[in-house]
Amino acid sequence: MELKEGIPLHKQISDWLKDRIESGTLKQDEKLPSENELSQKFDVSRVTIRRALQTLENEDLIYRCQGLGSFVTDQRSHHSFSILNDFSEELSDTSMTASSKLLSFTQKELTDRNDILSYLDMQNKTHAVEIERIRLGDNQPIAYDITWMPIFYGQLIEGFDLEQYTIFHILEKEFEIPIERGCYRVEATLADEVIAGHLEVEPDTPLLLINRISYTIGDKPVYFQQRYYRNDKIVFELMADRRANPTSGEGNIPLKEFAPVFKKEME
Amino acid sequence: MELKEGIPLHKQISDWLKDRIESGTLKQDEKLPSENELSQKFDVSRVTIRRALQTLENEDLIYRCQGLGSFVTDQRSHHSFSILNDFSEELSDTSMTASSKLLSFTQKELTDRNDILSYLDMQNKTHAVEIERIRLGDNQPIAYDITWMPIFYGQLIEGFDLEQYTIFHILEKEFEIPIERGCYRVEATLADEVIAGHLEVEPDTPLLLINRISYTIGDKPVYFQQRYYRNDKIVFELMADRRANPTSGEGNIPLKEFAPVFKKEME
DNA sequence: AAAAAATACCTGTAATTACAAGTTTATTTC
DNA sequence: GAAATAAACTTGTAATTACAGGTATTTTTT
């Protein structure tokens, strides 16, 4: 087995094993080669092998037993079911028409935002594209968001009409980069002066803050988004189900959905 | 600093740091002592310190930046919505111990709360059991909620220790009434005087308000719950996945089982 | 005074060595 | 033959050493 230069050995090895597990070459509960065998195979020290195996253990791809060996974890339990929407899809089921107002499209150095850099898995780079938008439904402000993207993805969408199309849409339809997974984080917050202005609400109005990291194939992060929703315009609904998935006819895998629900005007 | 025998050094060190982070001695984004400082402090090698720090990094308690140091991650416990949980299950992933403080257990006539009556599918009846509780994690207030149940279900749980057991638990374990489905609604709101007092925060602090209707077999509503979460203690996370069910062996059809639900209310 | 270089400090990677402690299998002893 | 022992395997823990590479500050040069 040959390893490249420039990429950490332990990463190459864990990636190699990950491939083997995810492709099914190594099946469930199958024993991995021992640490000594692996270190001989790759001609690296046992410490490096252990570093690689620990990565897999942390990601719950393998489990290890002292005196026995390392084994492949049950793969099935990790996948979840739910829907991933972009903003226009969120609004598509309502009578409202979605649009956006582009406030800025700039390149920024995120030296003081290590959180974003780590979300986007940007090891050495600090430059990113920052996109600031107001989201409208029937020309009324519904949300305000800032999106950060690695330059690689940011340059792709440059020139496209972001007032008409979503990033999601451009990446998927124009460049065939599908967004496969998203991690949402929901909090409550208050509108500061700037955001209140954008959303046309009073300062200190409660807002829903949803942070989202979107990933494409291979769990590669594409963008990190911080979105403030007007609480009087939108709430989120989620169905959690303990019953079996009706389509698959399988066992008791919980179904879930995270769909926005729009409040009706009360005037 | 002295370390015991019999317990792995790296574990003792990671536990010590974990304590320091969870107790708040080390605050959010605060820099940890450098690896060299720690190895001197505990009189162990840097490898051992790194082993301990990696544990914390895996548990998402710290993040590390090459050339800068290690820092404390956002402290708030974040947990997934994916399964249907009760409060103690929500906290079980954290190191906190869940308990409740029962404020009131009364019977009420909900003549002015048609919303609740319709959620609970109570056609002609207007009487319901109302339960008011404060939810604690490590004896600190994390949430405040009010639960309304039809008399039929409410009388069942009367007499049980609601400070120790959740309604969920009592219904399922004592009466074999399983909660099969839940509908959550997430909003942002402000703490009023009363709730602020219960949660020990300032009035007008932003809170996450989660309304939930829980159903048993046959889509029969069992209780409606209005819960206010302290935003500084808990945030909600959700993973959304577009990928097909790997077990079903199907194609990449995005799962769209449920349509968004609309809020129709008149206040 | 501004730009470039040196430096001190930080985490990241990786080899080597040694021994501890589980698990299984083969061997010896009773 | 059954039980105890030894051997051969596995992963776990931990020290030591060395250098790479990122970051920030200070010093030197221009």
Side-chain angles (χ1 to χ4, degrees), chain A residues 7-15 47-49 51-53 55:
Chain A
I7 303 158
L9 300 177
H10 69 81
K11 184 162 194 331
Q12 293 184 59
I13 293 163
S14 64
D15 282 347
V47 185
T48 307
I49 295 294
R51 181 72 185 73
L53 290 180
T55 303

Side-chain angles (χ1 to χ4, degrees), chain A residues 26 29-30 43-44 85 87 96 112 151 172 175 181 184 196 206-208 220 228 237 250 254 260 265:
Chain A
L26 287 164
D29 290 321
E30 195 172 318
D43 194 32
V44 296
N85 291 323
F87 184 75
M96 285 189 263
D112 54 339
I151 299 285
E172 204 147 296
F175 300 104
R181 205 160 61 79
Y184 295 78
L207 300 174
L208 263 185
K220 205 172 154 65
Y228 298 83
E237 265 195 10
E250 279 259 59
E265 304 265 351

Side-chain angles (χ1 to χ4, degrees), chain A residues 84-110:
Chain A
L84 195 56
N85 291 323
D86 78 349
F87 184 75
S88 62
E89 284 180 70
E90 283 179 3
L91 283 169
S92 66
D93 293 325
T94 75
S95 51
M96 285 189 263
T97 27
S99 63
S100 299
K101 189 175 162 190
L102 187 63
L103 297 180
S104 68
F105 188 112
T106 52
Q107 219 181 97
K108 276 228 171 150
E109 199 170 1
L110 302 176

